[in-house]
Amino acid sequence: MSVIDKTYWEVYIEINPICADVVCDIVQSEFECEGIITAEEKYKNLELVSSTDNIIKAYISADVLDFDKVKSFFKKKRQDLIDKKVFIGDIGTWNVTVKKQEIVDWSQKWKEHWKPSKISNRIVICPTWEKYETKDNEIKVYIDPGNAFGTGTHATTQLCVKACEKYMKNGAAAADIGCGSGILAICAMKLGAKLVNAVDTDETAVETAKINAAVNNELSISFKTASSEVLQDNKYDFVFANILHNILADIMPDLKRIMKKGAKIVLSGILEGKEEVVLKAIEKNNLKIIEEMKQKEWTAFVVQKED
């Protein structure tokens, strides 16, 4: 049976955005999920005019979906997280609404809602199926996320791009750890890097990143399916590390080793309430914080290696 022959249910889950990633993991592991929307944003003339990020919208394929069982399931999962104290503070009601949808190909439908968006002073992210004429000193980056994380609309990505614009010098050697769909690596090259090496442990992400680099005529970027250890033979002036807080803390020594003296790194992907984990790792590795950046419930640290 093809995708468009299936019956779809649109499941709305009311949450606090801090637990969005956990809810997405639950949905994908427990249901036949064809797609998830974590935030809906509306732009006018590239400016964000409205956004909704407190509702997870999941498209679930099933001939029949028992509404009461779905509500009970999420109620139990929510209580489990509370009992285990996974999050600090309110995680939302997790109230569930279910709506039967007309038969459509949701793998393509979501594209209708993604338009060009300006994510920093200069960078405009443009879907490959859209056209956009740049103005003034804008730089256009074409992206098709495929199955890899990264459309440029997420706060953690935007913090990284803003840090790059502010701190990366022309002619820099840059590295991207956990490159996803390749946005940051491509932005670095567009903003003046002479060399960009990028890694991700997800092979699908790396293949998607290579395609996006080709679309943007940035074929010199090196993408590899690997961890940060593969980059140890080189030293870099600027590094992106847009990864979850616990992983950042674990690999901080590796990140420091690939940095030149005086190099800067942007540590992003840090959820509100989890900053201390990363701060301890920064201090332990004798790195200096240059700037703390915040957007929505996310934090990024720009850090410099001085020794």
Side-chain angles (χ1 to χ4, degrees):
M1 182 166 58
S2 68
V3 171
I4 59 174
D5 291 334
K6 294 180 180 180
T7 300
Y8 281 88
W9 301 84
E10 196 171 53
V11 178
Y12 297 77
I13 309 153
E14 298 177 17
I15 64 163
N16 184 317
I18 63 170
C19 61
D21 290 343
V22 170
V23 175
C24 289
D25 287 342
I26 291 171
V27 173
Q28 290 176 321
S29 63
E30 300 292 339
F31 297 92
E32 188 176 349
C33 181
E34 302 290 348
I36 297 176
I37 295 175
T38 58
E40 292 190 283
E41 300 176 335
K42 292 184 180 178
Y43 288 83
K44 185 175 181 180
N45 298 325
L46 293 185
E47 297 297 327
L48 181 66
V49 293
S50 67
S51 65
T52 302
D53 60 2
N54 64 339
I55 294 176
I56 294 290
K57 193 184 295 185
Y59 297 101
I60 293 173
S61 175
D63 292 332
V64 178
L65 196 67
D66 189 315
F67 184 31
D68 290 333
K69 285 186 178 179
V70 172
K71 286 198 296 184
S72 298
F73 171 81
F74 281 104
K75 183 178 180 181
K76 182 180 183 303
K77 288 291 185 180
R78 177 181 182 274
Q79 192 59 50
D80 287 345
L81 291 178
I82 292 173
D83 292 343
K84 294 175 182 177
K85 298 181 179 179
V86 175
F87 293 100
I88 299 171
D90 180 28
I91 62 172
T93 64
W94 290 37
N95 288 338
V96 176
T97 305
V98 175
K99 186 192 303 181
K100 190 172 183 179
Q101 277 290 357
E102 60 183 84
I103 298 174
V104 295
D105 185 355
W106 287 106
S107 67
Q108 299 299 316
K109 183 70 175 176
W110 70 274
K111 291 183 176 181
E112 296 177 7
H113 304 286
W114 186 29
K115 300 297 180 182
S117 55
K118 193 168 185 177
I119 66 170
S120 66
N121 288 334
R122 298 189 64 194
I123 298 293
V124 176
I125 299 296
C126 188
T128 53
W129 55 89
E130 291 280 341
K131 292 183 179 180
Y132 176 74
E133 295 297 326
T134 57
K135 299 182 286 291
D136 300 325
N137 67 341
E138 290 178 345
I139 297 172
K140 179 168 54 180
V141 174
Y142 281 111
I143 293 292
D144 187 342
N147 292 324
F149 174 84
T151 62
T153 60
H154 200 276
T156 59
T157 304
Q158 294 183 15
L159 288 169
C160 286
V161 175
K162 291 172 182 176
C164 183
E165 281 188 2
K166 187 173 181 179
Y167 292 105
M168 191 190 74
K169 296 179 180 179
N170 279 335
D176 182 7
I177 314 301
C179 65
S181 57
I183 288 178
L184 298 178
I186 295 167
C187 286
M189 192 63 80
K190 296 285 188 187
L191 288 166
K194 68 176 179 182
L195 166 75
V196 181
N197 291 334
V199 295
D200 200 298
T201 56
D202 185 333
E203 185 176 356
T204 300
V206 170
E207 291 306 311
T208 299
K210 289 178 179 178
I211 293 170
N212 285 325
V215 169
N216 287 279
N217 296 315
E218 298 294 355
L219 297 175
S220 65
I221 302 174
S222 170
F223 293 101
K224 291 184 179 179
T225 305
S227 66
S228 58
E229 293 178 358
V230 77
L231 301 175
Q232 298 296 326
D233 291 339
N234 297 306
K235 300 288 184 180
Y236 299 91
D237 303 293
F238 192 87
V239 180
F240 299 103
N242 186 11
I243 316 172
L244 292 176
H245 65 278
N246 56 324
I247 300 176
L248 284 175
D250 289 343
I251 69 171
M252 198 70 70
D254 292 332
L255 296 176
K256 183 179 179 180
R257 275 192 289 272
I258 67 172
M259 297 169 67
K260 295 179 182 178
K261 184 178 180 180
K264 295 180 178 67
I265 182 171
V266 54
L267 305 165
S268 193
I270 306 163
L271 196 57
E272 184 178 356
K274 302 296 185 182
E275 297 92 342
E276 190 61 30
V277 175
V278 180
L279 286 170
K280 287 180 179 178
I282 292 171
E283 182 179 6
K284 183 178 180 180
N285 287 275
N286 196 31
L287 296 166
K288 179 183 178 182
I289 295 176
I290 302 299
E291 184 178 357
E292 178 179 347
M293 307 170 71
K294 288 186 176 292
Q295 189 168 326
K296 295 184 178 180
E297 67 275 11
W298 298 95
T299 298
F301 295 110
V302 180
V303 175
Q304 186 171 24
K305 178 181 178 179
E306 294 190 308
D307 56 4

